[in-house]
Amino acid sequence: MEQQWSVGIVLFDDVEVLDFAGPFEVLSVTAHPDQHASTQDMKPFIVKTISETGHMVHARNGLKVQPDYSFSNAPQFDILVIPGGLGAREREVHNNELIQWITDRMQSVQLMTSVCTGALLLAKAGLLDGKHATTHWASYERLQNEFPNVIVQKNVKFVDEGTIITSGGISAGINMAFHIVKRLLGAEVAQMTAKRMEYDIDISLV
Amino acid sequence: MEQQWSVGIVLFDDVEVLDFAGPFEVLSVTAHPDQHASTQDMKPFIVKTISETGHMVHARNGLKVQPDYSFSNAPQFDILVIPGGLGAREREVHNNELIQWITDRMQSVQLMTSVCTGALLLAKAGLLDGKHATTHWASYERLQNEFPNVIVQKNVKFVDEGTIITSGGISAGINMAFHIVKRLLGAEVAQMTAKRMEYDIDISLV
Protein backbone atom coordinates (compact mmCIF):
# COMPACT_ATOMS: atom_id res chain seq x y z
CA MET A 1 0.00 0.00 0.00
CA GLU A 2 1.48 3.30 -1.11
CA GLN A 3 1.46 6.28 1.25
CA GLN A 4 -1.46 8.69 0.96
CA TRP A 5 -1.82 12.24 2.28
CA SER A 6 -5.11 14.02 2.93
CA VAL A 7 -4.92 17.65 1.82
CA GLY A 8 -7.29 20.40 2.95
CA ILE A 9 -7.50 23.71 1.11
CA VAL A 10 -9.15 26.52 3.07
CA LEU A 11 -11.55 28.74 1.10
CA PHE A 12 -13.17 32.08 1.98
CA ASP A 13 -14.91 34.89 0.11
CA ASP A 14 -12.56 36.72 -2.25
CA VAL A 15 -9.92 33.98 -2.12
CA GLU A 16 -7.75 34.37 -5.25
CA VAL A 17 -8.74 31.61 -7.69
CA LEU A 18 -5.31 30.39 -8.82
CA ASP A 19 -4.05 30.51 -5.21
CA PHE A 20 -6.19 27.45 -4.48
CA ALA A 21 -6.76 26.01 -7.98
CA GLY A 22 -3.01 25.76 -8.71
CA PRO A 23 -2.10 23.54 -5.72
CA PHE A 24 -5.46 21.71 -6.14
CA GLU A 25 -4.50 20.75 -9.70
CA VAL A 26 -0.87 19.80 -9.04
CA LEU A 27 -1.63 17.66 -6.00
CA SER A 28 -4.75 16.01 -7.40
CA VAL A 29 -3.23 14.96 -10.72
CA THR A 30 -0.14 13.50 -9.07
CA ALA A 31 0.00 9.73 -9.36
CA HIS A 32 2.40 7.04 -8.25
CA PRO A 33 4.71 6.01 -11.14
CA ASP A 34 3.07 2.63 -11.59
CA GLN A 35 -0.51 3.87 -11.40
CA HIS A 36 -2.93 5.29 -13.90
CA ALA A 37 -3.81 8.92 -13.17
CA SER A 38 -7.48 8.12 -12.70
CA THR A 39 -7.05 5.47 -10.02
CA GLN A 40 -8.65 7.77 -7.44
CA ASP A 41 -8.43 5.63 -4.33
CA MET A 42 -4.72 5.00 -4.66
CA LYS A 43 -3.67 8.55 -5.45
CA PRO A 44 -0.92 10.03 -3.24
CA PHE A 45 -2.99 13.13 -2.45
CA ILE A 46 -6.72 13.32 -1.78
CA VAL A 47 -7.62 17.02 -1.91
CA LYS A 48 -10.67 18.52 -0.19
CA THR A 49 -11.88 22.07 0.42
CA ILE A 50 -13.02 23.65 3.70
CA SER A 51 -14.51 26.97 4.71
CA GLU A 52 -15.55 28.37 8.07
CA THR A 53 -19.29 27.81 7.58
CA GLY A 54 -19.24 25.28 4.74
CA HIS A 55 -21.50 27.59 2.73
CA MET A 56 -20.80 28.52 -0.89
CA VAL A 57 -17.71 30.70 -1.26
CA HIS A 58 -17.59 33.63 -3.69
CA ALA A 59 -13.96 33.55 -4.77
CA ARG A 60 -12.21 36.56 -6.27
CA ASN A 61 -13.72 37.80 -9.53
CA GLY A 62 -16.92 35.88 -8.93
CA LEU A 63 -16.12 32.16 -9.13
CA LYS A 64 -18.56 30.32 -6.85
CA VAL A 65 -17.16 27.24 -5.10
CA GLN A 66 -18.97 24.88 -2.74
CA PRO A 67 -16.57 23.66 -0.01
CA ASP A 68 -16.57 20.01 1.01
CA TYR A 69 -16.47 20.77 4.73
CA SER A 70 -16.98 23.44 7.38
CA PHE A 71 -14.59 24.00 10.29
CA SER A 72 -16.98 22.05 12.50
CA ASN A 73 -17.18 18.87 10.38
CA ALA A 74 -13.77 18.85 8.67
CA PRO A 75 -11.79 15.65 9.17
CA GLN A 76 -8.11 15.37 10.05
CA PHE A 77 -5.74 16.59 7.30
CA ASP A 78 -2.08 15.76 6.80
CA ILE A 79 -1.43 18.88 4.73
CA LEU A 80 -3.24 22.21 4.90
CA VAL A 81 -3.06 24.88 2.19
CA ILE A 82 -4.00 28.44 3.20
CA PRO A 83 -4.45 30.55 0.07
CA GLY A 84 -4.51 34.35 -0.09
CA GLY A 85 -6.13 37.13 -2.03
CA LEU A 86 -8.25 40.18 -1.22
CA GLY A 87 -10.34 38.16 1.25
CA ALA A 88 -7.25 37.05 3.19
CA ARG A 89 -5.60 40.44 3.48
CA GLU A 90 -8.74 42.53 4.11
CA ARG A 91 -11.03 40.27 6.12
CA GLU A 92 -9.68 36.88 7.20
CA VAL A 93 -6.57 38.33 8.83
CA HIS A 94 -9.03 39.90 11.30
CA ASN A 95 -11.18 36.75 11.61
CA ASN A 96 -10.38 35.25 15.01
CA GLU A 97 -12.33 32.06 14.28
CA LEU A 98 -10.22 31.28 11.23
CA ILE A 99 -6.93 32.28 12.89
CA GLN A 100 -7.75 30.09 15.90
CA TRP A 101 -8.68 27.18 13.60
CA ILE A 102 -5.32 27.45 11.84
CA THR A 103 -3.53 27.63 15.21
CA ASP A 104 -5.37 24.52 16.43
CA ARG A 105 -4.78 22.59 13.22
CA MET A 106 -1.04 23.26 13.38
CA GLN A 107 -0.91 20.68 16.17
CA SER A 108 -2.25 17.88 13.97
CA VAL A 109 -0.93 18.50 10.43
CA GLN A 110 2.34 17.21 9.02
CA LEU A 111 2.64 20.26 6.80
CA MET A 112 1.08 23.74 7.04
CA THR A 113 1.43 25.81 3.87
CA SER A 114 0.38 29.18 2.53
CA VAL A 115 0.07 30.74 -0.91
CA CYS A 116 0.37 34.47 -1.58
CA THR A 117 -1.09 36.62 1.23
CA GLY A 118 -2.18 33.46 3.01
CA ALA A 119 1.15 34.05 4.79
CA LEU A 120 -0.52 36.93 6.68
CA LEU A 121 -2.92 34.39 8.19
CA LEU A 122 -0.11 32.08 9.29
CA ALA A 123 1.75 35.08 10.70
CA LYS A 124 -1.35 36.24 12.59
CA ALA A 125 -1.59 32.74 14.08
CA GLY A 126 1.98 33.22 15.32
CA LEU A 127 3.24 30.31 13.24
CA LEU A 128 5.91 32.33 11.41
CA ASP A 129 7.59 33.97 14.44
CA GLY A 130 11.36 33.59 14.09
CA LYS A 131 10.91 31.82 10.77
CA HIS A 132 11.78 32.69 7.18
CA ALA A 133 8.67 33.22 5.06
CA THR A 134 7.49 34.79 1.82
CA THR A 135 4.29 36.22 0.33
CA HIS A 136 3.10 38.18 -2.74
CA TRP A 137 5.68 40.87 -3.65
CA ALA A 138 3.08 43.61 -3.10
CA SER A 139 2.72 42.47 0.54
CA TYR A 140 6.38 42.05 1.56
CA GLU A 141 6.32 45.34 3.48
CA ARG A 142 3.02 44.67 5.18
CA LEU A 143 4.13 41.20 6.33
CA GLN A 144 7.36 42.66 7.72
CA ASN A 145 5.76 45.71 9.34
CA GLU A 146 2.84 43.96 10.99
CA PHE A 147 4.80 40.88 12.01
CA PRO A 148 8.35 42.05 12.83
CA ASN A 149 9.36 38.61 14.13
CA VAL A 150 8.96 37.11 10.65
CA ILE A 151 12.12 37.00 8.53
CA VAL A 152 10.69 37.99 5.15
CA GLN A 153 12.35 36.43 2.10
CA LYS A 154 11.90 38.37 -1.14
CA ASN A 155 12.01 37.16 -4.73
CA VAL A 156 11.67 33.47 -3.99
CA LYS A 157 8.90 31.12 -5.10
CA PHE A 158 8.61 29.47 -1.70
CA VAL A 159 10.37 29.05 1.64
CA ASP A 160 10.48 25.58 3.21
CA GLU A 161 10.80 25.73 7.02
CA GLY A 162 10.17 22.04 7.55
CA THR A 163 6.62 21.76 8.86
CA ILE A 164 5.68 25.16 7.38
CA ILE A 165 6.06 26.21 3.76
CA THR A 166 5.06 29.67 2.52
CA SER A 167 4.97 30.64 -1.14
CA GLY A 168 4.96 33.84 -3.20
CA GLY A 169 2.09 35.38 -5.11
CA ILE A 170 -0.73 33.58 -6.91
CA SER A 171 1.06 31.23 -9.35
CA ALA A 172 3.92 30.57 -6.89
CA GLY A 173 1.53 28.17 -5.16
CA ILE A 174 2.00 25.92 -8.20
CA ASN A 175 5.78 25.96 -7.69
CA MET A 176 5.29 25.17 -4.01
CA ALA A 177 2.96 22.29 -4.82
CA PHE A 178 5.58 20.79 -7.15
CA HIS A 179 8.09 21.17 -4.31
CA ILE A 180 5.76 19.25 -1.99
CA VAL A 181 5.38 16.47 -4.57
CA LYS A 182 9.15 16.30 -5.02
CA ARG A 183 9.87 16.38 -1.27
CA LEU A 184 7.37 13.62 -0.47
CA LEU A 185 7.52 11.46 -3.60
CA GLY A 186 10.70 12.38 -5.45
CA ALA A 187 11.69 14.23 -8.60
CA GLU A 188 10.49 11.53 -10.99
CA VAL A 189 6.90 11.77 -9.77
CA ALA A 190 7.02 15.59 -9.80
CA GLN A 191 8.34 15.52 -13.38
CA MET A 192 5.57 13.14 -14.43
CA THR A 193 2.97 15.49 -12.92
CA ALA A 194 4.46 18.44 -14.81
CA LYS A 195 4.34 16.48 -18.06
CA ARG A 196 0.71 15.53 -17.49
CA MET A 197 -0.10 19.22 -16.90
CA GLU A 198 2.11 20.32 -19.83
CA TYR A 199 3.66 22.68 -17.28
CA ASP A 200 7.12 24.08 -18.01
CA ILE A 201 9.01 23.91 -14.77
CA ASP A 202 12.55 22.96 -13.86
CA ILE A 203 11.97 20.28 -11.23
CA SER A 204 15.58 20.61 -10.05
CA LEU A 205 14.65 24.12 -8.83
CA VAL A 206 11.61 23.14 -6.76
CA MET B 1 -14.32 54.35 -22.09
CA GLU B 2 -11.90 51.48 -22.53
CA GLN B 3 -12.95 48.38 -24.47
CA GLN B 4 -14.41 45.51 -22.50
CA TRP B 5 -14.92 41.86 -23.48
CA SER B 6 -17.39 39.48 -21.89
CA VAL B 7 -15.87 36.02 -21.44
CA GLY B 8 -17.84 32.83 -20.89
CA ILE B 9 -16.17 29.66 -19.62
CA VAL B 10 -18.16 26.47 -20.15
CA LEU B 11 -18.17 23.99 -17.26
CA PHE B 12 -19.33 20.37 -17.06
CA ASP B 13 -18.83 17.42 -14.69
CA ASP B 14 -15.21 16.23 -14.65
CA VAL B 15 -13.91 19.38 -16.33
CA GLU B 16 -10.18 19.60 -15.48
CA VAL B 17 -9.76 22.31 -12.82
CA LEU B 18 -6.75 24.20 -14.18
CA ASP B 19 -8.23 24.06 -17.70
CA PHE B 20 -10.81 26.62 -16.61
CA ALA B 21 -9.15 28.17 -13.55
CA GLY B 22 -6.00 29.16 -15.48
CA PRO B 23 -7.74 31.29 -18.14
CA PHE B 24 -10.21 32.50 -15.47
CA GLU B 25 -7.32 33.87 -13.41
CA VAL B 26 -5.31 35.41 -16.25
CA LEU B 27 -8.27 37.16 -17.84
CA SER B 28 -9.88 38.31 -14.59
CA VAL B 29 -6.76 39.85 -13.08
CA THR B 30 -5.89 41.71 -16.28
CA ALA B 31 -6.29 45.49 -15.89
CA HIS B 32 -5.76 48.46 -18.14
CA PRO B 33 -2.37 50.09 -17.44
CA ASP B 34 -3.88 53.17 -15.79
CA GLN B 35 -6.37 51.26 -13.62
CA HIS B 36 -6.16 49.61 -10.25
CA ALA B 37 -6.66 45.85 -10.48
CA SER B 38 -9.74 45.93 -8.30
CA THR B 39 -11.72 48.42 -10.39
CA GLN B 40 -14.16 45.70 -11.38
CA ASP B 41 -16.48 47.60 -13.70
CA MET B 42 -13.69 48.94 -15.90
CA LYS B 43 -11.75 45.70 -16.25
CA PRO B 44 -10.97 44.58 -19.82
CA PHE B 45 -12.45 41.10 -19.25
CA ILE B 46 -15.55 40.20 -17.27
CA VAL B 47 -15.43 36.42 -16.83
CA LYS B 48 -18.52 34.28 -16.17
CA THR B 49 -19.16 30.53 -16.05
CA ILE B 50 -21.89 28.55 -17.84
CA SER B 51 -23.05 24.95 -17.82
CA GLU B 52 -25.78 23.16 -19.71
CA THR B 53 -28.25 23.06 -16.81
CA GLY B 54 -26.78 25.75 -14.56
CA HIS B 55 -26.65 23.23 -11.72
CA MET B 56 -23.56 22.69 -9.59
CA VAL B 57 -20.69 21.13 -11.52
CA HIS B 58 -18.46 18.45 -10.01
CA ALA B 59 -15.12 19.25 -11.63
CA ARG B 60 -12.32 16.70 -11.89
CA ASN B 61 -11.01 15.45 -8.56
CA GLY B 62 -14.06 16.73 -6.75
CA LEU B 63 -14.01 20.54 -6.86
CA LYS B 64 -17.63 21.75 -6.78
CA VAL B 65 -18.36 24.89 -8.79
CA GLN B 66 -21.65 26.73 -9.17
CA PRO B 67 -21.96 28.15 -12.72
CA ASP B 68 -23.31 31.67 -13.22
CA TYR B 69 -25.58 30.67 -16.11
CA SER B 70 -27.25 27.77 -17.89
CA PHE B 71 -27.37 27.45 -21.69
CA SER B 72 -30.92 28.78 -21.58
CA ASN B 73 -30.23 32.01 -19.68
CA ALA B 74 -26.63 32.76 -20.68
CA PRO B 75 -26.11 36.23 -22.16
CA GLN B 76 -24.08 37.11 -25.25
CA PHE B 77 -20.32 36.54 -24.89
CA ASP B 78 -17.48 38.04 -26.90
CA ILE B 79 -15.07 35.24 -26.02
CA LEU B 80 -15.89 31.64 -25.16
CA VAL B 81 -13.47 29.24 -23.47
CA ILE B 82 -14.18 25.50 -23.84
CA PRO B 83 -12.04 23.57 -21.35
CA GLY B 84 -11.29 19.85 -21.47
CA GLY B 85 -10.66 16.97 -19.14
CA LEU B 86 -12.17 13.56 -18.53
CA GLY B 87 -15.71 14.96 -18.84
CA ALA B 88 -14.97 16.47 -22.25
CA ARG B 89 -13.37 13.42 -23.80
CA GLU B 90 -15.66 10.77 -22.33
CA ARG B 91 -19.07 12.43 -22.12
CA GLU B 92 -19.44 15.92 -23.58
CA VAL B 93 -18.02 14.95 -26.97
CA HIS B 94 -21.17 12.78 -27.27
CA ASN B 95 -23.49 15.46 -25.83
CA ASN B 96 -25.45 16.83 -28.78
CA GLU B 97 -26.95 19.68 -26.72
CA LEU B 98 -23.53 21.02 -25.82
CA ILE B 99 -22.08 20.53 -29.31
CA GLN B 100 -25.09 22.32 -30.84
CA TRP B 101 -24.75 25.16 -28.31
CA ILE B 102 -21.08 25.63 -29.28
CA THR B 103 -22.04 25.54 -32.98
CA ASP B 104 -24.73 28.18 -32.44
CA ARG B 105 -22.50 30.39 -30.31
CA MET B 106 -19.78 30.39 -32.98
CA GLN B 107 -22.04 32.78 -34.94
CA SER B 108 -22.03 35.43 -32.22
CA VAL B 109 -18.59 35.31 -30.56
CA GLN B 110 -15.51 37.25 -31.60
CA LEU B 111 -13.28 34.47 -30.37
CA MET B 112 -13.93 30.76 -29.75
CA THR B 113 -11.19 29.01 -27.77
CA SER B 114 -10.43 25.61 -26.30
CA VAL B 115 -8.08 24.27 -23.66
CA CYS B 116 -6.74 20.71 -23.63
CA THR B 117 -9.29 18.15 -24.88
CA GLY B 118 -11.86 20.92 -25.25
CA ALA B 119 -10.52 20.81 -28.85
CA LEU B 120 -12.47 17.56 -29.31
CA LEU B 121 -15.67 19.51 -28.65
CA LEU B 122 -14.80 22.21 -31.18
CA ALA B 123 -13.86 19.50 -33.68
CA LYS B 124 -17.15 17.67 -33.10
CA ALA B 125 -18.96 20.96 -33.79
CA GLY B 126 -17.11 21.04 -37.14
CA LEU B 127 -15.33 24.27 -36.23
CA LEU B 128 -11.82 22.90 -36.80
CA ASP B 129 -12.33 21.40 -40.28
CA GLY B 130 -9.46 22.47 -42.51
CA LYS B 131 -7.88 24.35 -39.63
CA HIS B 132 -4.70 23.91 -37.62
CA ALA B 133 -5.42 22.98 -34.02
CA THR B 134 -3.82 21.44 -30.94
CA THR B 135 -4.86 19.57 -27.80
CA HIS B 136 -3.33 17.65 -24.86
CA TRP B 137 -0.38 15.52 -26.09
CA ALA B 138 -2.13 12.34 -24.95
CA SER B 139 -5.03 13.14 -27.32
CA TYR B 140 -3.13 14.14 -30.51
CA GLU B 141 -3.88 10.77 -32.12
CA ARG B 142 -7.51 10.70 -31.13
CA LEU B 143 -8.12 14.22 -32.47
CA GLN B 144 -6.45 13.28 -35.76
CA ASN B 145 -8.14 9.89 -36.11
CA GLU B 146 -11.67 10.97 -35.25
CA PHE B 147 -11.49 14.28 -37.12
CA PRO B 148 -9.26 13.71 -40.16
CA ASN B 149 -10.03 17.18 -41.57
CA VAL B 150 -8.26 18.82 -38.62
CA ILE B 151 -4.58 19.65 -39.15
CA VAL B 152 -3.17 18.65 -35.75
CA GLN B 153 -0.21 20.68 -34.50
CA LYS B 154 1.99 18.93 -31.95
CA ASN B 155 4.25 20.39 -29.27
CA VAL B 156 2.84 23.92 -29.33
CA LYS B 157 1.18 25.79 -26.48
CA PHE B 158 -1.61 27.10 -28.69
CA VAL B 159 -2.67 27.60 -32.32
CA ASP B 160 -4.26 30.92 -33.31
CA GLU B 161 -6.53 30.56 -36.34
CA GLY B 162 -8.03 34.03 -36.06
CA THR B 163 -11.51 33.57 -34.66
CA ILE B 164 -10.58 30.19 -33.18
CA ILE B 165 -7.70 29.47 -30.81
CA THR B 166 -6.97 25.98 -29.47
CA SER B 167 -4.41 25.26 -26.77
CA GLY B 168 -2.48 22.29 -25.47
CA GLY B 169 -2.98 20.38 -22.24
CA ILE B 170 -4.13 21.76 -18.87
CA SER B 171 -1.64 24.56 -18.11
CA ALA B 172 -1.35 25.55 -21.79
CA GLY B 173 -4.65 27.36 -21.31
CA ILE B 174 -2.69 29.87 -19.22
CA ASN B 175 -0.30 30.47 -22.11
CA MET B 176 -3.25 30.90 -24.47
CA ALA B 177 -4.91 33.37 -22.11
CA PHE B 178 -1.73 35.47 -22.03
CA HIS B 179 -1.75 35.35 -25.84
CA ILE B 180 -5.33 36.65 -25.87
CA VAL B 181 -4.38 39.50 -23.51
CA LYS B 182 -1.39 40.37 -25.69
CA ARG B 183 -3.37 40.15 -28.94
CA LEU B 184 -6.20 42.34 -27.68
CA LEU B 185 -4.39 44.74 -25.31
CA GLY B 186 -0.69 44.54 -26.12
CA ALA B 187 2.46 43.12 -24.59
CA GLU B 188 2.71 45.72 -21.82
CA VAL B 189 -0.66 44.75 -20.34
CA ALA B 190 0.14 41.03 -20.67
CA GLN B 191 3.46 41.59 -18.90
CA MET B 192 1.73 43.49 -16.11
CA THR B 193 -0.72 40.61 -15.64
CA ALA B 194 2.17 38.11 -15.46
CA LYS B 195 3.89 40.25 -12.83
CA ARG B 196 0.72 40.48 -10.74
CA MET B 197 0.40 36.68 -10.91
CA GLU B 198 4.15 36.19 -10.28
CA TYR B 199 3.98 33.98 -13.37
CA ASP B 200 7.22 33.28 -15.24
CA ILE B 201 6.38 33.56 -18.90
CA ASP B 202 8.18 35.07 -21.88
CA ILE B 203 5.50 37.41 -23.25
CA SER B 204 7.38 37.65 -26.56
CA LEU B 205 6.53 33.96 -27.09
CA VAL B 206 2.78 34.21 -26.49
Side-chain angles (χ1 to χ4, degrees):
Chain A
M1 175 78 186
E2 303 271 15
Q3 195 165 358
Q4 194 170 60
W5 291 268
S6 60
V7 181
I9 301 183
V10 174
L11 302 177
F12 39 79
D13 285 345
D14 284 314
V15 59
E16 188 75 28
V17 168
L18 198 63
D19 279 27
F20 71 83
F24 184 98
E25 180 72 28
V26 174
L27 297 175
S28 15
V29 305
T30 295
H32 292 294
D34 54 344
Q35 287 170 352
H36 190 269
S38 60
T39 311
Q40 296 285 331
D41 55 349
M42 289 299 289
K43 284 157 50 111
F45 303 103
I46 301 296
V47 186
K48 301 292 181 184
T49 55
I50 316 110
S51 74
E52 184 177 349
T53 64
H55 297 152
M56 181 97 72
V57 163
H58 291 242
R60 188 70 175 136
N61 296 301
L63 190 73
K64 294 189 275 294
V65 183
Q66 173 60 53
D68 296 309
Y69 300 107
S70 67
F71 285 176
S72 60
N73 69 10
Q76 162 71 25
F77 292 109
D78 302 313
I79 300 171
L80 270 181
V81 178
I82 313 295
L86 182 75
R89 60 184 195 267
E90 294 201 352
R91 280 193 302 272
E92 303 307 330
V93 73
H94 309 295
N95 176 353
N96 292 334
E97 295 292 324
L98 180 127
I99 300 301
Q100 186 61 51
W101 189 83
I102 291 173
T103 308
D104 294 344
R105 286 288 173 146
M106 186 64 201
Q107 309 306 314
S108 57
V109 295
Q110 289 176 35
L111 199 50
M112 177 70 78
T113 75
S114 69
V115 181
C116 200
T117 47
L120 294 168
L121 308 181
L122 300 195
K124 189 69 177 282
L127 305 184
L128 302 182
D129 285 349
K131 292 196 162 60
H132 296 77
T134 196
T135 186
H136 191 286
W137 55 265
S139 292
Y140 288 155
E141 275 192 51
R142 178 172 172 191
L143 181 61
Q144 192 63 89
N145 291 342
E146 295 188 15
F147 306 98
N149 293 329
V150 179
I151 309 157
V152 176
Q153 300 287 285
K154 300 181 179 179
N155 305 312
V156 291
K157 292 294 187 185
F158 57 84
V159 176
D160 185 339
E161 277 274 16
T163 53
I164 298 182
I165 310 179
T166 53
S167 58
I170 308 184
S171 69
I174 296 177
N175 301 65
M176 180 182 74
F178 276 112
H179 169 72
I180 293 171
V181 174
K182 182 180 170 188
R183 183 176 131 177
L184 297 177
L185 293 160
E188 186 201 351
V189 172
Q191 191 62 64
M192 206 170 61
T193 303
K195 189 184 177 196
R196 185 167 291 137
M197 287 174 57
E198 291 197 25
Y199 196 72
D200 297 330
I201 192 165
D202 185 342
I203 294 294
S204 71
L205 299 180
V206 301
Chain B
M1 175 76 186
E2 304 270 15
Q3 193 165 358
Q4 194 169 60
W5 292 268
S6 60
V7 180
I9 301 183
V10 174
L11 301 178
F12 39 80
D13 285 343
D14 284 315
V15 59
E16 188 75 28
V17 168
L18 198 63
D19 280 26
F20 72 84
F24 184 99
E25 180 73 29
V26 173
L27 297 175
S28 352
V29 305
T30 295
H32 293 294
D34 54 344
Q35 288 169 351
H36 190 271
S38 60
T39 313
Q40 296 285 332
D41 55 348
M42 289 298 289
K43 283 155 51 109
F45 303 102
I46 301 296
V47 186
K48 301 291 182 184
T49 55
I50 317 111
S51 74
E52 184 177 350
T53 63
H55 297 153
M56 181 97 72
V57 164
H58 291 242
R60 187 72 175 135
N61 296 302
L63 191 73
K64 294 188 276 293
V65 183
Q66 174 60 54
D68 296 309
Y69 300 108
S70 67
F71 285 175
S72 60
N73 69 9
Q76 162 71 25
F77 293 108
D78 302 313
I79 300 171
L80 269 181
V81 178
I82 314 296
L86 183 76
R89 61 183 194 268
E90 294 202 351
R91 280 193 302 271
E92 302 308 331
V93 72
H94 309 296
N95 176 352
N96 292 333
E97 295 292 325
L98 180 128
I99 301 301
Q100 187 60 51
W101 190 82
I102 291 173
T103 308
D104 294 345
R105 286 288 173 144
M106 187 63 203
Q107 310 305 314
S108 57
V109 295
Q110 290 176 34
L111 200 50
M112 177 70 78
T113 75
S114 68
V115 181
C116 201
T117 46
L120 293 169
L121 308 181
L122 300 196
K124 189 69 177 281
L127 305 185
L128 301 182
D129 284 350
K131 292 196 162 59
H132 296 77
T134 196
T135 186
H136 191 285
W137 56 264
S139 292
Y140 288 155
E141 275 192 52
R142 178 173 172 190
L143 180 61
Q144 192 63 89
N145 291 342
E146 294 187 15
F147 306 99
N149 293 329
V150 179
I151 309 157
V152 176
Q153 300 287 284
K154 300 180 179 180
N155 306 311
V156 292
K157 291 294 187 186
F158 57 85
V159 176
D160 185 338
E161 277 274 16
T163 53
I164 297 181
I165 310 178
T166 52
S167 58
I170 309 183
S171 71
I174 296 177
N175 301 65
M176 180 182 75
F178 276 112
H179 170 71
I180 292 171
V181 174
K182 183 180 170 187
R183 182 175 132 177
L184 297 176
L185 293 160
E188 185 201 351
V189 172
Q191 191 63 64
M192 206 170 60
T193 303
K195 188 183 177 195
R196 185 167 292 135
M197 286 174 58
E198 292 197 25
Y199 196 73
D200 296 330
I201 192 166
D202 185 343
I203 293 296
S204 71
L205 299 180
V206 301

